[in-house]
Amino acid sequence: MNWATSPQTGGQQTGGSLKAMKDKSSQAEKEANEASALKTAGPEGEITAGFLLEKSAKTNGWSKRWFVLNEKTGKLGYTKKQEEKHFRGVIALEECNIEEIPEEEEPPAKSLKDKNANGPDSGKAPSLVFKITSKIPYKTVLKAHNAVVLKADSTADKAEWINKISKVIQARGGLVRVAESGHTMRQSLSDGSLDTMARKPADPEEEL
């Protein structure tokens, strides 16, 4: 009888430890997700590489691209796959500005309903989207596009991309705009009053 009961208790113990291991691994995954997944290279860490989603101007769909930033040359190049050796396009950041965009600007038809259904928590999710535009109006940034809209995989990735690209752009006299100022500017322009653009403070409740 003792032989029959001992494997069961042993089984329960291993079951408990397996559950604990699963909990630990899920915690580790969460921590890994919060850290930036970008890779750096070069003697001074001046090269940053990682995946970003690029928005198609024609279809409004997102395509995953491997981007490589060289802070010394001020160039941001991309390939379709990480293994490719030749860039399919290169952005000269010295001629560019960077701006954060609220994700509400990309409105799939269902987004408002989904947000209401998910309750207040959904409003807390920060935007992962930013835009690179030319300093010179109507000049193209990449191929035939005068703006490139990019989306990061996580807030940590986005913060690192914006931080590093902003440094390059600011060092070369470009403009860096955060989401709030861009939001205010769009509002005042839609009102048809340019004078209020500089005076009007960003409303802290707008993002809620």
Side-chain angles (χ1 to χ4, degrees), residues 53-63 65 145 147 149:
L53 294 171
E54 182 189 7
K55 189 175 186 182
S56 165
K58 289 181 183 176
T59 63
N60 273 355
W62 296 94
S63 304
R65 298 285 183 261
H145 308 301
V149 179

Side-chain angles (χ1 to χ4, degrees), residues 78-160:
Y78 78 90
T79 58
K80 280 194 176 181
K81 294 179 183 174
Q82 188 175 343
E83 303 79 36
E84 288 180 29
K85 292 182 180 176
H86 300 290
F87 290 131
R88 291 172 180 261
V90 177
I91 300 169
L93 294 173
E94 63 195 31
E95 300 172 359
C96 297
N97 299 327
I98 186 169
E99 179 183 0
E100 287 187 75
I101 310 179
E103 265 183 271
E104 296 84 74
E105 277 202 353
E106 337 274 291
K110 298 177 185 172
S111 65
L112 288 171
K113 289 180 186 174
D114 291 346
K115 276 188 181 174
N116 293 338
N118 292 339
D121 289 343
S122 61
K124 292 179 186 174
S127 166
L128 300 174
V129 183
F130 58 97
K131 178 168 70 173
I132 297 172
T133 55
S134 173
K135 282 195 279 191
I136 304 162
Y138 309 113
K139 187 174 180 185
T140 58
V141 176
L142 181 67
K143 298 180 181 176
H145 308 301
N146 57 9
V148 177
V149 179
L150 302 169
K151 186 174 183 177
D153 284 341
S154 67
T155 48
D157 282 9
K158 180 198 168 194
E160 190 167 343

Side-chain angles (χ1 to χ4, degrees), residues 20-38:
M21 280 169 70
K22 277 183 186 173
D23 290 344
K24 279 182 187 173
S25 67
S26 65
Q27 276 181 352
E29 278 172 24
K30 277 183 190 173
E31 285 169 15
N33 287 340
E34 285 168 13
S36 166
L38 307 188

Side-chain angles (χ1 to χ4, degrees), residues 1 44 46 77 97 164-165 173 194:
M1 293 295 288
E44 296 170 27
E46 72 273 13
N97 299 327
K164 293 197 171 182
I165 293 172
L194 288 169

